[in-house]
């Protein structure tokens, strides 16, 4: 179980780390969103980032438990995500204190980039799901 959990989160973290290769700071446009049973993938080829959330149960949780899109403002989600990403990354660098199985790779979330509503909505909800499922507190 631990090995599977590690692989699932390793896959999530690698994929969910927002890779931003371009030097432009333009707003996110023309994103392609793909959703399968346990995988949610958002791609923006113009801005050169991708976020993939692979965690069994997340998509079901998102449909049944998350507040609907539009419930939170984008600025609210950005502020919350900044806090959660910061706390996540702190835990990545403290493997003796926090489980390396849960926090195995840092998330690159640049607050000067407008990732758009959908990315922030899904990332925020993943943090809600993660905290509940694994009994973690990222606040």
């Amino acid at each position: 179980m631990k090995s599977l959990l590690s692989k699932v989160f390793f896959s999530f973290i690698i994929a969910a780390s927002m890779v931003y290769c371009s030097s432009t700071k333009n707003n996110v446009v023309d994103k392609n969103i793909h959703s399968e049973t346990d995988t949610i993938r958002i791609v923006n080829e113009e801005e050169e980032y991708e976020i993939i959330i692979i965690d069994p149960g997340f998509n079901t949780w998102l449909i049944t438990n998350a507040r609907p899109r539009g419930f939170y403002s984008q600025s609210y989600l950005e502020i919350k995500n900044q806090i959660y990403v910061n706390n996540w990354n702190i835990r990545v660098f403290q493997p003796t204190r926090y489980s390396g199985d849960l926090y195995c790779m840092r998330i690159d979330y640049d607050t000067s980039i407008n990732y758009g509503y959908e990315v922030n909505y899904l990332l925020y909800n993943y943090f809600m799901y993660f905290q509940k499922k694994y009994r973690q507190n990222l606040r």
Side-chain angles (χ1 to χ4, degrees):
M1 177 72 174
K2 185 175 179 180
S3 175
L4 175 62
L5 180 62
S6 178
K7 288 179 184 176
V8 168
F9 273 92
F10 185 69
S11 297
F12 162 72
I13 296 304
I14 287 176
S17 296
M18 294 182 192
V19 179
Y20 188 76
C21 303
S22 173
S23 62
T24 61
K25 305 289 185 201
N26 297 333
N27 290 346
V28 174
V29 292
D30 192 33
K31 58 185 165 280
N32 299 310
I33 302 169
H34 309 280
S35 178
E36 292 136 23
T37 55
D38 287 327
T39 303
I40 294 179
R41 179 174 180 243
I42 303 171
V43 180
N44 183 313
E45 292 172 3
E46 286 180 21
E47 298 294 330
E48 298 182 20
Y49 75 82
E50 179 175 23
I51 182 171
I52 299 173
I53 301 172
I54 304 169
D55 196 333
F58 174 64
N59 198 37
T60 301
W61 182 91
L62 183 67
I63 293 166
T64 59
N65 293 293
R67 300 276 187 183
R69 285 166 175 79
F71 184 84
Y72 300 110
S73 69
Q74 183 171 331
S75 61
Y76 174 85
L77 296 173
E78 290 169 341
I79 290 166
K80 290 297 194 176
N81 286 339
Q82 182 178 1
I83 292 166
Y84 294 140
V85 167
N86 184 50
N87 289 332
W88 178 284
N89 289 339
I90 287 169
R91 292 173 185 213
V92 167
F93 294 111
Q94 296 180 0
T96 57
R97 186 168 179 201
Y98 299 101
S99 172
D101 290 337
L102 295 178
Y103 306 98
C104 54
M105 190 171 183
R106 79 181 289 279
I107 298 173
D108 184 17
Y109 183 86
D110 185 342
T111 57
S112 67
I113 297 170
N114 179 359
Y115 293 105
Y117 189 87
E118 191 67 13
V119 170
N120 281 288
Y121 175 80
L122 291 173
L123 185 58
Y124 171 80
N125 278 295
Y126 182 76
F127 284 130
M128 297 297 100
Y129 168 79
F130 172 84
Q131 290 179 99
K132 183 173 180 165
K133 182 176 180 180
Y134 298 102
R135 296 185 178 140
Q136 300 292 301
N137 186 354
L138 292 170
R139 293 179 191 102

